[in-house]
Amino acid sequence: MSDDSCSPSPSATPVPAAPPRPLTPAKVTRQIIATAFFTFLVYLAIGIPMAVLPGYIHLDLGYSSVMAGLGISVQYFATFVSRANAGRMIDTVGAKQTVMRGMLLCSASGALLLCSALAQPLPFLSLVLLFASRALLGLGESLVGTGAIMWGVGRVGSENTAKMISWNGIATYAALAIGAPLGVVLDRSLGFAMIGLSGMLLTVLGYVLARGGPVTPVVQGEQLSFKLVLRKVFAYGMGLAFGTIGFGSIATFITLYYADLHWSGAAFALTAFSSAFVGARLLFANAITRFGGYRVAVVSFLTEAVGLLLLWSATTPELALLGAGLAGFGFALVFPSLGVEAVNLVSPANRGAALAAYSVFLDLALGITGPLAGAIAGQLGYPQVFLFAAIAAIGAVALSLSLYRSAQQRGKP
C-alpha cells in the first residue's frame, strides 16, 4: 500500500477538534464538593481531638494552660513553616500529588497520637509524642488544605476560585463541627487512644481516594520567588491574621473557659461556631461576587467582633454559645473575601504560591494565639482572651477599609 493511500485527498476539509464543553453549574458544584471532601477528611481528623486535647495535656498529663495552648499551636506552627513548600509543590508537581503526600503525613500523625495515649503513664514521653503528632498533622494540613483548593480550581477553572475556596471552608468547619463532639464521645466511651486511631484511619481513606482522582495540568509560566509573592499578599494576610485570632481563641480555650466557670457543653460551642460558619458560607455564597471582597470582609470582621464581645461578657453558657455562633458566622467569609483579592495579584502560574503565602498568616495567627492567649488567661482569666480577640477583629476592620480605599484609587471596585 502506497503512502498516498494513507493521506487525505486534496478535496478533504480538515475537521477541527470540538472545543471542550463548558461545565454546567451543577457539575461545577459536584466537582468542587468531590475535591473539598479531602479537606473534610483531614479536618475531621483535626477536629476530633480539638475539644479533648487541651484537657488531656492540662488535666491528665498535669501541664500548665500555656503548655495546653502550645500543644494546639504546634500544629499551626508546622503548617506555617511548610506553606512555602506546599505552594511550590502545587505549582511544580501538581495538586493531586500534594494532597496525597499530605494524607500520608496526617496518617503518621494519627499513629503518633495513638502512641502518645499508650504512653500516658510516662507524662513527658506522652507529651513529646503528642507534640510530634501535632507537627506532622500541621505539615499534612498545609499540603491538603492548599492542595485541595488548587486541585479543585484546576478541575473547574479559575473563574470558580471564590466558590472553591468557599466550599473548602464549608468542608473545613463542617468537619470541625462534627469532630469536636465526636471526639468527646470517643474519648469518654473508648478512651484517648481512639482519638489517634480514628485520625489515622480517616486519612488513610483520604489517601486511597485521592490516588484514584483525576490529574490536573500544572500551569506553565515564570515562577516568582516565594518572598516576592509573600510581599504582594502581605496586607491581605495581616487582615486574615487579625480575624483568625478569634477562631484560635475559641478553638484552644473554650473548653477550659467553660470548665473554669463550671459550665457543661463546651464542645457544642465549637459546634455552634462551625455550624454558623457553614451556614454563612451557604447563605452568602455569592456575596463576594456581588458586593466585592473588601465590603464583605468589613461586614464579616464587624460581626465576628460582636460575637467575641458577647462571649467575653457572657454570664450563662447559652450566651456564650450564641457568642461563639455569631463569631463563626462573621469569620465565615473572611478567608475567601480577602483571599480572592490576594490570589488575583499574581499570574496563574503562581497562584498556588499566592494561596499558600496568604494562608501563612492564618497559620501564624493560630500559632501565636495559643501561648499568647494562654498567658492572658493565666494572668487575667479566660474571658479576657475573647476581649483580646475582639480587639484584633476590630483592627482587621480598619485594615480592610484601608485596602478598600487603595483599591478604589487604583480604579478597582
Side-chain angles (χ1 to χ4, degrees), residues 95-234:
K96 174 182 173 176
Q97 287 293 329
T98 303
V99 170
M100 289 171 59
R101 294 176 189 182
M103 287 293 181
L104 289 177
L105 287 169
C106 291
S107 301
S109 167
L112 281 179
L113 191 60
L114 175 59
C115 294
S116 173
L118 298 176
Q120 185 179 343
L122 302 171
F124 181 73
L125 176 60
S126 179
L127 186 69
V128 169
L129 290 169
L130 188 149
F131 273 38
S133 166
R134 300 292 293 170
L136 287 181
L137 188 60
L139 296 176
E141 176 199 357
S142 175
L143 299 185
V144 176
T146 311
I149 291 175
M150 299 313 297
W151 194 6
V153 170
R155 293 170 72 169
V156 299
S158 60
E159 65 275 14
N160 291 296
T161 298
K163 192 172 183 179
M164 183 64 231
I165 292 176
S166 290
W167 273 98
N168 206 66
I170 289 171
T172 297
Y173 290 94
L176 294 178
I178 296 168
L182 177 59
V184 172
V185 171
L186 289 174
D187 182 48
R188 289 178 180 172
S189 59
L190 300 172
F192 188 72
M194 184 55 63
I195 303 295
L197 180 61
S198 60
M200 183 174 66
L201 294 177
L202 284 168
T203 48
V204 166
L205 172 63
Y207 173 81
V208 173
L209 294 176
R211 190 174 180 181
V215 176
T216 54
V218 175
V219 178
Q220 301 299 318
E222 180 188 1
Q223 299 288 322
L224 300 177
S225 70
F226 190 77
K227 186 181 294 187
L228 178 57
V229 174
L230 191 63
R231 283 205 299 268
K232 285 179 176 289
V233 305
F234 180 83

Side-chain angles (χ1 to χ4, degrees), residues 43 76 79-84 86-87 90 141-142 145-147 149 165 168 226 230 233 236-238 240-241 244 335 339 342-343 351-366:
Y43 275 88
Y76 304 122
T79 305
F80 167 71
V81 299
S82 62
R83 284 290 187 188
I90 292 165
E141 176 199 357
S142 175
T146 311
I149 291 175
I165 292 176
N168 206 66
F226 190 77
L230 191 63
V233 305
Y236 300 86
M238 286 303 298
L240 174 64
T244 302
F335 191 101
V343 168
R351 284 180 178 167
L355 184 63
Y358 174 68
S359 300
V360 157
F361 293 88
L362 183 146
D363 307 325
L364 183 62
L366 291 173

